[in-house]
């Protein structure tokens, strides 16, 4: 069997994420995911306090939504002063070590204190969306952060280990607590989720390491970060696209952004652990789409003619009712053994290119293809089967018809 190289190239920018699908280096699909300004529960932002309000014992915080977010005193988290100190040092570049093992914790804030004693206007702080905004209200936020993994939830600036109440067995609770205490880094608390029941230490440790990576990547973003800005996005854009396009035949996934790379790796590890090693972080001065020849292909892919190898080409016409594709052999008919073999060779090439163009241009409706005439029925059958195979990768619902035999559908 010939190994087909299927690669997914992911390019990230603040406005959007572009996904390009390559088959043996040829661009077959292009997707764009716009960066939405949604506020999803779990997102973490670096934001500025607008003003504390004594009467409400809360502060209003600018998170970039039209209405300010609401942060109540009870949602500040006991280690607020430690967190504020950490954010200040990391944002100014004074602190490069994001593990909390040597970071001194301040005294916890008073459980029944007043907002004015602990927070000032214009102060920078990390906040997490607890409740999404509704028509008249901004989002509800908390500054007691937590990063959720598959089996564990990691809580920075804490040392507590707790277990989900839904795990009933006392022995299992003890076992999990003991395991997590032995692998947990200093300065981070851990909540053990119900799904951790029965899991081995290696799986829990891997989850924890993933969360630590997430934390580190997030902290790197704090240096000179604009306020307000998202530093950790909970709903990951990578998974939504991968869910649609990923399958076992992939041979490489290249991502040019560290956060996205971690998300993609996590996702692949979850659904196809044996494929985890194909996810690579692309780190070079040459832009990723240029390096993989995608920019060049985008420029040449959307014209009226699409060229194929050895001089053959397609002409693609759009009318209001349908798309018409004309297959041309170019200058090779005289070189081949005979007309019939040439026709088959060009038609097979064209079928592959047409399947690719349909996906690339997102063409739908009725598509009429004028292949080069062939007199041999087995050649016609071969072409029909080949086109049907090439169309298998297309997720759009489709039917392939042959005019020579209307009973043939696929």
């Amino acid at each position: 069997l010939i190994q087909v190289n299927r690669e997914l190239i992911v390019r990230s920018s603040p406005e959007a994420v572009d996904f390009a699908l390559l088959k043996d280096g040829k661009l077959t699909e292009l997707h764009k995911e716009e960066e939405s300004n949604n506020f999803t529960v779990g997102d973490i932002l670096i934001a500025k306090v607008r003003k504390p309000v004594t009467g409400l014992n809360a502060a209003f915080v600018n998170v970039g939504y039209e209405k300010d977010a609401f942060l109540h005193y009870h949602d500040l988290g006991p280690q607020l002063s430690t967190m504020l100190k950490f954010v200040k040092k990391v944002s100014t570049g004074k602190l490069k070590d994001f593990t909390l093992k040597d970071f001194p914790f301040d005294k916890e804030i008073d459980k029944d204190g007043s907002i004015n004693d602990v927070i000032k206007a214009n102060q920078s702080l990390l906040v997490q969306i607890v409740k999404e905004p509704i028509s008249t209200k901004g989002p509800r936020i908390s500054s007691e952060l937590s990063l959720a993994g598959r089996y564990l939830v990691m809580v920075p600036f804490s040392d507590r280990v707790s277990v989900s109440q839904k795990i009933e067995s006392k022995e299992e609770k003890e076992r999990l607590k003991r395991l997590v205490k032995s692998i947990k880094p200093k300065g981070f608390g851990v909540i053990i989720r119900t799904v951790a029941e029965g899991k081995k230490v290696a799986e829990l440790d891997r989850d924890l390491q993933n969360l630590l990576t997430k934390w580190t990547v997030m902290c790197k973003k704090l240096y000179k970060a604009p306020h307000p800005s998202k530093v950790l996005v909970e709903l990951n854009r990578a998974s939504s696209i991968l869910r649609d396009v990923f399958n076992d035949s992939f041979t490489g996934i290249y991502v040019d952004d560290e956060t996205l790379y971690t998300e993609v790796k996590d996702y692949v590890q979850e659904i196809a652990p044996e494929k985890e090693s194909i996810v690579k972080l692309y780190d070079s001065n040459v832009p990723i789409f240029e390096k993989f020849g995608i920019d060049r292909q985008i420029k040449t892919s959307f014209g009226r003619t699409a060229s194929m190898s050895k001089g053959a080409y397609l002409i693609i016409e759009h009318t209001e009712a349908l798309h018409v594709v004309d297959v041309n052999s170019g200058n090779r008919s005289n070189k081949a053994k005979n007309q019939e073999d040439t026709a088959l060779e060009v038609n097979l090439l064209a079928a592959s290119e047409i399947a690719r163009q349909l996906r690339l241009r997102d063409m739908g409706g009725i598509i009429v293809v004028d292949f080069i005439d062939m007199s041999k029925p087995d050649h016609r059958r071969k072409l029909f089967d080949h086109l049907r195979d090439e169309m298998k990768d297309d997720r759009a619902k489709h039917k392939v018809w042959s005019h020579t035999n209307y009973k043939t559908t696929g």
Side-chain angles (χ1 to χ4, degrees):
L1 221 82
I2 304 160
Q3 166 74 48
V4 178
N5 268 328
R6 281 178 202 271
E7 293 162 317
L8 179 67
I9 315 301
V10 185
R11 174 177 70 179
S12 176
S13 71
E15 301 78 45
V17 179
D18 294 300
F19 297 83
L21 221 58
L22 301 181
K23 188 172 166 185
D24 283 336
K26 284 188 102 173
L27 182 63
T28 58
E29 285 187 50
L30 204 52
H31 299 274
K32 194 184 210 64
E33 278 268 302
E34 304 285 348
E35 170 57 286
S36 66
N37 205 9
N38 298 345
F39 291 87
T40 308
V41 170
D43 287 354
I44 297 178
L45 302 97
I46 178 87
K48 268 203 167 79
V49 175
R50 186 100 66 186
K51 58 169 190 278
V53 183
T54 321
L56 296 169
N57 206 16
F60 284 105
V61 180
N62 170 21
V63 291
Y65 186 69
E66 64 229 43
K67 296 263 193 326
D68 283 343
F70 183 78
L71 178 61
H72 194 275
Y73 187 89
H74 291 145
D75 294 323
L76 292 173
Q79 286 293 352
L80 176 78
S81 353
T82 309
M83 190 261 277
L84 292 173
K85 190 170 66 175
F86 179 83
V87 169
K88 194 171 182 178
K89 286 194 164 170
V90 173
S91 303
T92 52
K94 288 199 180 91
L95 182 66
K96 297 273 198 297
D97 173 15
F98 310 129
T99 67
L100 302 173
K101 60 174 189 286
D102 300 321
F103 195 77
F105 279 23
D106 282 3
K107 199 161 121 298
E108 293 193 356
I109 60 170
D110 180 2
K111 267 206 278 292
D112 305 306
S114 157
I115 196 92
N116 283 321
D117 299 338
V118 289
I119 269 184
K120 295 187 281 295
N122 276 329
Q123 205 158 20
S124 278
L125 80 167
L126 278 171
V127 296
Q128 190 160 28
I129 308 287
V130 176
K131 200 172 177 195
E132 289 165 18
I134 45 176
S135 57
T136 54
K137 291 180 175 162
R140 175 93 185 253
I141 54 176
S142 161
S143 52
E144 186 167 21
L145 311 176
S146 62
L147 282 75
R150 283 177 77 188
Y151 307 122
L152 310 169
V153 175
M154 192 173 83
V155 183
F157 312 110
S158 158
D159 265 314
R160 275 192 61 204
V161 173
S162 56
V163 189
S164 157
Q165 290 306 312
K166 289 187 186 148
I167 295 178
E168 283 167 9
S169 150
K170 195 160 172 274
E171 290 76 21
E172 180 59 356
K173 273 188 176 162
E174 286 306 315
R175 180 189 79 92
L176 287 168
K177 223 170 178 171
R178 205 172 51 247
L179 283 184
V180 168
K181 277 185 174 159
S182 69
I183 57 174
K184 176 190 87 59
K186 189 170 175 287
F188 292 92
V190 173
I191 301 160
I192 302 164
R193 305 177 73 166
T194 318
V195 286
E197 197 166 355
K199 293 287 172 269
K200 294 189 172 67
V201 69
E203 291 176 277
L204 301 179
D205 189 47
R206 191 164 64 188
D207 203 27
L208 199 53
Q209 293 314 315
N210 281 345
L211 290 172
L212 278 169
T213 307
K214 246 186 193 179
W215 169 255
T216 309
V217 170
M218 182 193 98
C219 291
K220 277 185 191 166
K221 288 186 176 172
L222 292 180
Y223 180 53
K224 292 185 172 168
H227 289 55
S229 65
K230 282 187 194 176
V231 286
L232 188 134
V233 181
E234 193 43 56
L235 189 78
N236 79 54
R237 295 172 291 177
S239 310
S240 57
I241 279 282
L242 277 172
R243 214 175 24 238
D244 290 343
V245 301
F246 183 79
N247 60 41
D248 287 350
S249 64
F250 274 46
T251 51
I253 299 176
Y254 300 86
V255 189
D256 69 350
D257 172 89
E258 208 172 338
T259 312
L260 265 177
Y261 163 73
T262 313
E263 289 176 5
V264 172
K265 215 170 162 59
D266 280 3
Y267 183 79
V268 173
Q269 188 183 70
E270 217 166 294
I271 60 162
E274 72 288 352
K275 285 279 182 185
E276 193 199 339
S277 59
I278 70 169
V279 185
K280 308 268 195 306
L281 179 63
Y282 176 82
D283 188 12
S284 154
N285 296 331
V286 182
I288 190 164
F289 269 23
E290 194 183 311
K291 173 78 178 158
F292 284 91
I294 296 163
D295 283 338
R296 193 190 68 247
Q297 292 189 58
I298 291 172
K299 282 194 186 85
T300 57
S301 279
F302 295 100
R304 183 171 165 261
T305 46
S307 50
M308 302 181 291
S309 61
K310 298 179 188 161
Y313 61 97
L314 303 175
I315 291 178
I316 301 168
E317 301 272 13
H318 305 267
T319 71
E320 218 165 294
L322 47 89
H323 303 281
V324 181
V325 183
D326 189 30
V327 178
N328 293 277
S329 62
N331 52 13
R332 57 151 114 197
S333 40
N334 47 8
K335 297 178 196 154
K337 296 183 283 294
N338 61 46
Q339 207 81 33
E340 183 74 17
D341 289 352
T342 303
L344 177 63
E345 191 188 349
V346 173
N347 282 342
L348 291 174
L349 258 179
S352 305
E353 183 59 25
I354 286 161
R356 169 179 172 256
Q357 290 286 342
L358 297 188
R359 284 211 295 283
L360 213 44
R361 298 173 187 232
D362 202 12
M363 283 157 65
I366 299 168
I367 295 141
V368 177
V369 182
D370 185 8
F371 283 109
I372 299 166
D373 283 345
M374 297 184 296
S375 51
K376 292 185 180 171
D378 60 324
H379 281 188
R380 291 205 293 265
R381 180 79 229 176
K382 198 171 178 182
L383 171 62
F384 178 78
D385 290 344
H386 179 66
L387 179 57
R388 203 169 51 181
D389 283 348
E390 288 289 314
M391 289 294 295
K392 272 195 187 121
D393 285 342
D394 203 317
R395 294 188 309 279
K397 203 165 180 263
H398 61 271
K399 242 191 170 93
V400 183
W401 292 84
S402 157
H403 82 86
T404 52
N405 173 4
Y406 280 110
K407 291 190 194 73
T408 323
T409 61

